[in-house]
Structures are given as C-alpha cells and as structure tokens.
C-alpha cells in the first residue's frame, strides 16, 4: 500500500503512538532532560528516539516525569492547555491514562498527553493543534515518518480507517468538528474510554506488511480522537 493523498501535496503521517506498559522505569538515561526525550526539532529531525522494536513511536509512561521541560527548545507545549513545564506529568496522571482512559473525564480530547514526548512540539502541537495548519503539519510529519521507514503501517492505518475517503475532514476542520466526526465514527463512549493499555500487540513484520486488520487501526484512530489529533491524521 502507499500513503494516500488527497492532493498532489502529499499529507502527513499519523504519528502512530505506542505506549509502553513498563510504567516503572523511564525510557531514558539518568542524565537526560525532558527536552532530550525523542529527537524532535524544528528542522524536521526524526522523532525516532522513542521508537520501539517495531519502529512505531511510543510514549513512555513517565518519559518526562520528574524532569524539567525545556521551554526554550519546545515552547509550544509550555502554554495552555499543555502546561508541560508549569505542571509536570505525575505518575498518577500517566498511570490514569494507561489504566483508566486517555480522554478528559468530561469526555473531550486530553491535550496534556502531548507532554509525554517533546518531539511532537514542532509538528502536532505547533502546526496542527495551535496553528490549525493541518496541511503544513501533515507534510512535516510525512517526512518524519517516511524517514523512519514506517510509511507502510501508516498507510495501512489510513486505508483501514477510511481516512483517504473521509469527506468530513478538510484543511479547515476545527478540533470541535473533529470531535463530532469521532463520535459519528467510533461512538462517543468508545473513544473517550480508550486506554493506552488497550494497544494491540505488534511485531516487526508490520513494518513491511502494515496492520492486518482494524483491531490495530481502530485503536490508533480512537487514540487520535482522545489526544485531539484525529483531524491531523486524516489529512493525507
């Protein structure tokens, strides 16, 4: 399969997020700062520092916990509603997302989850969620994902979830409108109760074959709804 495109300007990769169940130990060296988790930067450096053996991006449960967020390097996540520096992630907060649900308790996308990985500050956070420039975000993420060699699972997610033919998401879709699309596609209760613990088991072969069924793709679709970037994922 090939990554689908709504126009000659190929859109971005979905930025698949894999959550590790090893909540007790950070995926970092003891000397790392929060800003060094992942390898993201404004010059489109790959975010593959947090890649799993399957190549998909993961969110370590406490990757930035108890560490200072570098607002000079990653300023977009320092403001409301992320507050990654002023309100550092706690074990209670990240474990809740893993074991209970990712979305907010009142049933909306939880943008605090973007404090799990600083490498998304320059793309999903800045371009899609803050600037509402879905096209620019899509192009930036596409380069990152193809550079990491995960275009095939990205493409299978796109096709399996019907993103390529979704007429309800455009370059102008707002986060509020995306929530309504999530409700219609998955059901409000389904995406607002998805947990990181629900992630299906994956293997390295999926780098070449993509996801075999919607058991995988629907999880990432619901997760995108819960994290607020579903409309970003659809723009391809």
């Amino acid at each position: 399969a090939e990554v689908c495109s709504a126009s000659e300007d190929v859109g971005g990769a979905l930025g698949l997020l894999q959550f590790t169940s090893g909540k007790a130990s950070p995926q970092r060296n003891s000397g790392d700062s929060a800003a060094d988790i992942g390898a993201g930067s404004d010059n489109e450096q790959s975010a593959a520092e947090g890649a799993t053996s399957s190549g998909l991006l993961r969110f370590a449960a406490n990757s930035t916990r108890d560490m200072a967020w570098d607002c000079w390097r990653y300023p977009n996540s320092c403001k409301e509603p992320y507050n990654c520096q002023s309100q550092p992630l706690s074990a209670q907060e990240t474990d809740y997302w893993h074991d209970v649900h990712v979305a907010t308790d009142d049933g909306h996308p939880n943008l605090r989850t973007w404090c799990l990985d600083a490498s998304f500050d320059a793309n999903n956070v800045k371009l899609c969620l803050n600037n509402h420039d879905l096209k620019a975000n899509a192009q930036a993420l596409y380069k990152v994902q193809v550079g990491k060699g995960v275009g095939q699972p990205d493409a299978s997610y796109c096709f399996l979830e019907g993103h390529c033919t979704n007429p309800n998401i455009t370059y102008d879709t707002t986060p509020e409108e995306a929530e309504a699309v999530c409700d219609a596609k998955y059901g409000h209760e389904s995406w607002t109760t998805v947990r990181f613990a629900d992630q299906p088991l994956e293997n390295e072969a999926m780098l070449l074959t993509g996801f075999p069924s919607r058991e995988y793709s629907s999880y990432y679709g619901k997760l995108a709804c819960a994290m607020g970037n579903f409309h970003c994922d659809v723009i391809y």
Side-chain angles (χ1 to χ4, degrees):
E2 296 179 350
V3 174
C4 49
S5 172
S7 70
E8 62 180 357
D9 293 309
V10 178
L14 51 144
L16 292 177
L17 311 175
Q18 187 169 22
F19 192 89
T20 177
S21 59
K23 295 184 289 181
S25 57
Q27 304 299 314
R28 59 179 175 86
N29 296 321
S30 59
D32 290 341
S33 69
D36 293 325
I37 300 300
S41 71
D42 286 331
N43 63 0
E44 298 176 343
Q45 197 171 3
S46 170
E49 288 282 314
T52 64
S53 59
S54 67
L56 302 181
L57 297 179
R58 73 181 169 190
F59 277 157
N62 48 1
S63 62
T64 58
R65 188 188 304 164
D66 300 325
M67 295 185 291
W69 188 272
D70 189 339
C71 286
W72 184 80
R73 292 179 65 187
Y74 303 100
N76 304 289
S77 307
C78 285
K79 61 186 71 172
E80 290 282 353
Y82 318 98
N83 298 320
C84 298
Q85 183 186 61
S86 61
Q87 298 176 28
L89 296 181
S90 66
Q92 181 180 8
E93 192 171 17
T94 57
D95 288 353
Y96 190 81
W97 301 339
H98 185 273
D99 300 327
V100 184
H101 59 73
V102 176
T104 63
D105 286 336
D106 59 352
H108 295 288
N110 186 356
L111 300 187
R112 281 277 292 165
T113 54
W114 295 102
C115 295
L116 286 164
D117 192 334
S119 67
F120 290 104
D121 180 81
N123 39 69
N124 272 340
V125 172
K126 176 183 178 180
L127 296 176
C128 181
L129 300 176
N130 291 355
N131 295 354
H132 308 295
D133 191 341
L134 277 63
K135 183 176 181 179
N137 179 69
Q139 293 169 334
L141 280 176
Y142 176 78
K143 293 178 181 179
V144 169
Q145 292 296 88
V146 170
K148 298 203 320 296
V150 295
Q152 194 70 6
D154 281 12
S156 66
Y157 163 85
C158 173
F159 283 107
L160 287 168
E161 290 308 289
H163 289 351
C164 303
T165 56
N166 190 333
N168 300 312
I169 299 293
T170 71
Y171 290 139
D172 300 317
T173 297
T174 66
E176 293 75 21
E177 291 169 340
E179 282 192 57
V181 175
C182 287
D183 288 346
K185 183 173 182 63
Y186 300 112
H188 184 75
E189 183 175 357
S190 184
W191 71 263
T192 58
T193 57
V194 70
R195 310 170 301 165
F196 284 121
D198 295 328
Q199 176 196 345
L201 293 177
E202 299 165 11
N203 58 64
E204 292 186 14
M206 292 180 187
L207 280 175
L208 299 176
T209 64
F211 296 132
S213 71
R214 290 199 67 223
E215 175 189 359
Y216 298 87
S217 62
S218 65
Y219 164 75
Y220 287 110
K222 294 173 186 177
L223 186 60
C225 291
M227 296 180 65
N229 65 306
F230 181 80
H231 55 315
C232 313
D233 279 4
V234 174
I235 298 301
Y236 274 83

